[in-house]
Amino acid sequence: TLSPMEVEFGFRRESSDLFGPIWRPVARVIVINRRRRVPQLFYVDSGADVTLIPKSVGDLLGLTLASPQEIQEIKGIGELGVPIVIRRLRLQVGSKVFPARVAWCLLEEVPLLLGRLDCFRLFEITFRHDLATVFESTS
């Protein structure tokens, strides 16, 4: 049998007004829509229900808005809602490619978040404190 796929991403050092230097868990994810592939660094966010991309990434993927009725609103912690549309895309983490529902935000000012829906069940995800995030395929 093949050994399980494992991929590791180092934490990214960022600055925080409150705490000074801080290390955040990120992962290199390739977002795929038909033949378009857009690699991005996502925050690995176990508190996010769904994977979130800003408007520019959706534009690079060739996403379009079919009608205003598609627009929904999601909220973060204590924030105002942001307009999103759900799109079915493919995500690639390491060598594993899988279908996922992704919230395409119609604004630019949102972070790239890798959320639980359609993703976390495929991996054992380990956060090694301030060092690395390890994704191990469960299938």
Side-chain angles (χ1 to χ4, degrees):
T1 60
L2 295 172
S3 61
M5 188 278 293
E6 189 175 291
V7 62
E8 181 175 305
F9 302 97
F11 274 36
R12 182 166 67 186
R13 184 181 191 267
E14 297 185 353
S15 57
S16 158
D17 291 340
L18 284 176
F19 306 112
I22 195 163
W23 295 89
R24 295 205 169 116
V26 294
R28 183 178 184 272
V29 178
I30 301 172
V31 189
I32 305 164
N33 182 41
R34 297 186 184 94
R35 294 174 187 263
R36 296 187 190 197
R37 301 169 57 86
V38 178
Q40 295 286 319
L41 269 184
F42 282 72
Y43 291 116
V44 181
D45 189 350
S46 61
D49 297 327
V50 66
T51 295
L52 179 70
I53 60 173
K55 183 170 188 323
S56 61
V57 173
D59 291 342
L60 288 171
L61 288 162
L63 302 183
T64 56
L65 186 62
S67 83
Q69 283 71 42
E70 287 187 294
I71 301 171
Q72 301 174 56
E73 189 177 86
I74 58 172
K75 292 183 171 142
I77 299 171
E79 296 171 17
L80 296 172
V82 293
I84 56 112
V85 292
I86 300 297
R87 288 289 179 263
R88 292 184 180 273
L89 304 172
R90 285 177 297 143
L91 301 179
Q92 181 175 344
V93 176
S95 60
K96 190 174 189 79
V97 179
F98 54 94
R101 287 164 283 183
V102 173
W104 174 35
C105 187
L106 302 179
L107 304 174
E108 193 55 34
E109 302 77 25
V110 296
L112 291 144
L113 300 178
L114 187 64
R116 293 186 316 276
L117 186 69
D118 301 327
C119 177
F120 278 38
R121 66 183 165 76
L122 302 174
F123 301 94
E124 288 291 332
I125 301 173
T126 306
F127 297 98
R128 295 195 181 135
H129 184 67
D130 287 0
L131 294 173
T133 306
V134 180
F135 285 73
E136 186 177 339
S137 178
T138 57
S139 58

